Amino acid sequence: MRRAVCPGSFDPVTNGHLDIIGRASRLFDEVIVGVLINQSKSGLFTVDERIAMLREVTSSYENVRVASFRGLLVDFCRAQDASVLVKGIRAVSDFDYELQMAQMNIGLAGVETLFMPTNPLYSFLSSSLVKDVAKWGGDVSPHVPDLVRRALRERLNNTAPA
Protein backbone atom coordinates (compact mmCIF):
# COMPACT_ATOMS: atom_id res chain seq x y z
CA MET A 1 0.00 0.00 0.00
CA ARG A 2 1.33 3.41 -0.97
CA ARG A 3 0.82 5.66 2.05
CA ALA A 4 1.78 9.34 2.39
CA VAL A 5 1.66 11.97 5.11
CA CYS A 6 0.60 15.59 4.54
CA PRO A 7 1.91 17.36 7.65
CA GLY A 8 1.16 20.82 9.00
CA SER A 9 -0.32 22.88 11.77
CA PHE A 10 -3.51 23.65 9.80
CA ASP A 11 -4.42 26.60 12.04
CA PRO A 12 -6.76 26.87 10.21
CA VAL A 13 -7.02 24.62 7.18
CA THR A 14 -7.23 26.61 3.93
CA ASN A 15 -8.35 25.81 0.41
CA GLY A 16 -4.65 25.64 -0.48
CA HIS A 17 -4.16 22.83 2.05
CA LEU A 18 -7.23 21.05 0.72
CA ASP A 19 -5.94 21.31 -2.84
CA ILE A 20 -2.69 19.53 -1.87
CA ILE A 21 -4.53 16.90 0.21
CA GLY A 22 -7.00 16.20 -2.61
CA ARG A 23 -4.28 15.91 -5.23
CA ALA A 24 -2.23 13.63 -2.96
CA SER A 25 -5.31 11.43 -2.41
CA ARG A 26 -5.34 10.69 -6.15
CA LEU A 27 -1.68 9.62 -6.09
CA PHE A 28 -1.60 7.45 -2.98
CA ASP A 29 -3.70 4.62 -1.60
CA GLU A 30 -3.93 6.40 1.74
CA VAL A 31 -3.11 9.93 2.87
CA ILE A 32 -2.67 10.75 6.53
CA VAL A 33 -3.08 14.42 7.36
CA GLY A 34 -0.67 14.88 10.27
CA VAL A 35 -1.56 17.76 12.57
CA LEU A 36 1.49 18.94 14.47
CA ILE A 37 1.13 19.46 18.21
CA ASN A 38 3.57 22.27 18.93
CA GLN A 39 3.46 23.08 22.63
CA SER A 40 5.73 26.10 22.19
CA LYS A 41 3.11 27.77 19.98
CA SER A 42 -0.41 28.64 20.93
CA GLY A 43 -2.71 28.40 17.95
CA LEU A 44 -5.99 30.14 17.33
CA PHE A 45 -7.68 26.74 17.34
CA THR A 46 -6.87 23.81 19.60
CA VAL A 47 -5.45 20.67 18.06
CA ASP A 48 -8.78 18.91 18.64
CA GLU A 49 -10.66 21.72 16.87
CA ARG A 50 -8.25 21.59 13.92
CA ILE A 51 -8.62 17.81 13.68
CA ALA A 52 -12.42 18.07 13.77
CA MET A 53 -12.43 20.72 11.03
CA LEU A 54 -10.02 18.68 8.89
CA ARG A 55 -12.08 15.53 9.30
CA GLU A 56 -15.20 17.40 8.23
CA VAL A 57 -13.67 19.10 5.20
CA THR A 58 -11.86 15.95 3.99
CA SER A 59 -14.78 13.59 4.58
CA SER A 60 -15.42 13.26 0.84
CA TYR A 61 -12.02 11.58 0.40
CA GLU A 62 -12.39 7.93 1.37
CA ASN A 63 -8.63 7.39 1.54
CA VAL A 64 -7.78 10.38 3.77
CA ARG A 65 -7.56 10.22 7.54
CA VAL A 66 -6.47 12.79 10.10
CA ALA A 67 -4.19 12.21 13.11
CA SER A 68 -2.11 14.38 15.40
CA PHE A 69 1.54 14.01 16.27
CA ARG A 70 4.27 15.56 18.36
CA GLY A 71 7.98 15.22 18.07
CA LEU A 72 9.81 14.25 14.92
CA LEU A 73 7.79 13.98 11.75
CA VAL A 74 9.82 10.95 10.66
CA ASP A 75 8.80 9.13 13.84
CA PHE A 76 5.15 9.83 12.99
CA CYS A 77 5.76 8.53 9.46
CA ARG A 78 7.29 5.32 10.84
CA ALA A 79 4.35 4.84 13.21
CA GLN A 80 1.95 5.28 10.27
CA ASP A 81 4.02 3.01 8.00
CA ALA A 82 4.33 5.90 5.53
CA SER A 83 7.51 6.43 3.56
CA VAL A 84 6.51 9.62 1.71
CA LEU A 85 5.76 13.16 2.79
CA VAL A 86 3.74 15.45 0.52
CA LYS A 87 4.48 19.14 0.90
CA GLY A 88 2.91 22.03 -0.97
CA ILE A 89 5.34 24.62 -2.28
CA ARG A 90 4.03 28.16 -2.88
CA ALA A 91 7.26 29.95 -3.74
CA VAL A 92 11.02 29.55 -4.03
CA SER A 93 11.35 30.71 -0.43
CA ASP A 94 9.27 27.68 0.68
CA PHE A 95 11.54 25.38 -1.32
CA ASP A 96 14.74 26.61 0.35
CA TYR A 97 13.47 25.64 3.80
CA GLU A 98 11.62 22.49 2.73
CA LEU A 99 14.64 21.13 0.85
CA GLN A 100 16.70 21.21 4.06
CA MET A 101 13.92 19.42 5.93
CA ALA A 102 13.58 16.82 3.14
CA GLN A 103 17.30 16.09 3.20
CA MET A 104 17.23 15.70 6.99
CA ASN A 105 14.17 13.41 6.83
CA ILE A 106 15.69 11.09 4.25
CA GLY A 107 18.92 10.99 6.24
CA LEU A 108 17.16 10.26 9.53
CA ALA A 109 14.68 7.67 8.37
CA GLY A 110 14.66 7.23 4.61
CA VAL A 111 11.42 9.19 4.32
CA GLU A 112 11.09 10.74 0.86
CA THR A 113 9.48 14.14 0.27
CA LEU A 114 7.30 14.91 -2.72
CA PHE A 115 7.10 18.64 -3.43
CA MET A 116 3.80 19.57 -5.02
CA PRO A 117 3.54 23.02 -6.56
CA THR A 118 0.55 24.90 -5.24
CA ASN A 119 -2.31 25.68 -7.56
CA PRO A 120 -1.71 29.31 -8.68
CA LEU A 121 -5.09 30.23 -7.18
CA TYR A 122 -3.59 29.59 -3.74
CA SER A 123 0.03 30.64 -4.23
CA PHE A 124 -0.26 33.60 -1.84
CA LEU A 125 -2.44 31.85 0.73
CA SER A 126 -1.33 30.97 4.25
CA SER A 127 -3.13 30.24 7.50
CA SER A 128 -1.46 33.28 9.07
CA LEU A 129 -2.71 35.58 6.33
CA VAL A 130 -6.23 34.16 6.58
CA LYS A 131 -6.27 34.70 10.35
CA ASP A 132 -5.03 38.26 9.98
CA VAL A 133 -7.62 39.15 7.34
CA ALA A 134 -10.41 37.53 9.39
CA LYS A 135 -9.26 39.31 12.54
CA TRP A 136 -9.83 42.66 10.85
CA GLY A 137 -13.21 41.65 9.45
CA GLY A 138 -12.10 40.90 5.89
CA ASP A 139 -13.87 38.35 3.72
CA VAL A 140 -11.95 35.05 3.76
CA SER A 141 -14.75 33.01 2.15
CA PRO A 142 -12.82 32.47 -1.13
CA HIS A 143 -9.86 31.06 0.81
CA VAL A 144 -11.30 28.64 3.36
CA PRO A 145 -14.17 26.15 3.55
CA ASP A 146 -17.40 27.61 4.92
CA LEU A 147 -17.02 25.61 8.13
CA VAL A 148 -13.66 27.29 8.76
CA ARG A 149 -15.00 30.74 7.87
CA ARG A 150 -17.77 30.35 10.46
CA ALA A 151 -15.30 29.06 13.08
CA LEU A 152 -13.01 32.04 12.45
CA ARG A 153 -15.88 34.49 12.80
CA GLU A 154 -17.01 32.84 16.03
CA ARG A 155 -13.51 32.64 17.49
CA LEU A 156 -12.63 36.20 16.59
CA ASN A 157 -16.06 37.53 17.62
CA ASN A 158 -16.45 39.35 14.36
CA THR A 159 -19.75 40.51 12.99
CA ALA A 160 -18.08 41.22 9.66
CA PRO A 161 -18.44 38.73 6.78
CA ALA A 162 -15.18 36.78 7.50
Side-chain angles (χ1 to χ4, degrees):
M1 173 179 274
R2 295 173 313 157
R3 187 174 290 138
V5 170
C6 285
S9 59
F10 304 102
D11 187 36
V13 61
T14 69
N15 290 341
H17 293 129
L18 292 176
D19 176 61
I20 298 296
I21 293 166
R23 289 162 58 199
S25 76
R26 293 190 300 270
L27 298 173
F28 295 92
D29 299 317
E30 184 177 28
V31 174
I32 302 113
V33 178
V35 180
L36 173 64
I37 300 170
N38 186 346
Q39 291 169 307
S40 64
K41 265 182 150 178
S42 65
L44 180 61
F45 295 102
T46 67
V47 170
D48 289 339
E49 289 170 326
R50 288 181 261 159
I51 288 171
M53 284 190 275
L54 277 159
R55 285 184 176 149
E56 177 70 25
V57 299
T58 62
S59 63
S60 63
Y61 300 111
E62 292 182 15
N63 64 334
V64 172
R65 66 183 168 89
V66 181
S68 63
F69 73 97
R70 63 172 37 106
L72 291 176
L73 178 54
V74 294
D75 290 339
F76 178 70
C77 289
R78 278 189 207 133
Q80 302 300 317
D81 195 28
S83 59
V84 177
L85 292 168
V86 176
K87 299 283 203 97
I89 299 290
R90 294 172 295 192
V92 172
S93 56
D94 286 349
F95 183 75
D96 288 341
Y97 173 76
E98 294 295 347
L99 179 61
Q100 293 175 29
M101 296 301 295
Q103 291 168 331
M104 180 62 79
N105 290 336
I106 198 156
L108 285 172
V111 174
E112 294 285 356
T113 301
L114 171 65
F115 295 121
M116 192 173 283
T118 301
N119 181 321
L121 293 172
Y122 310 119
S123 63
F124 65 92
L125 193 54
S126 70
S127 295
S128 299
L129 184 58
V130 164
K131 286 186 287 195
D132 200 38
V133 169
K135 178 176 82 174
W136 295 107
D139 182 13
V140 297
S141 58
H143 311 300
V144 296
D146 196 50
L147 167 83
V148 174
R149 182 191 57 76
R150 288 191 311 269
L152 282 164
R153 184 171 45 202
E154 184 177 303
R155 180 60 42 93
L156 299 170
N157 293 317
N158 255 330
T159 55

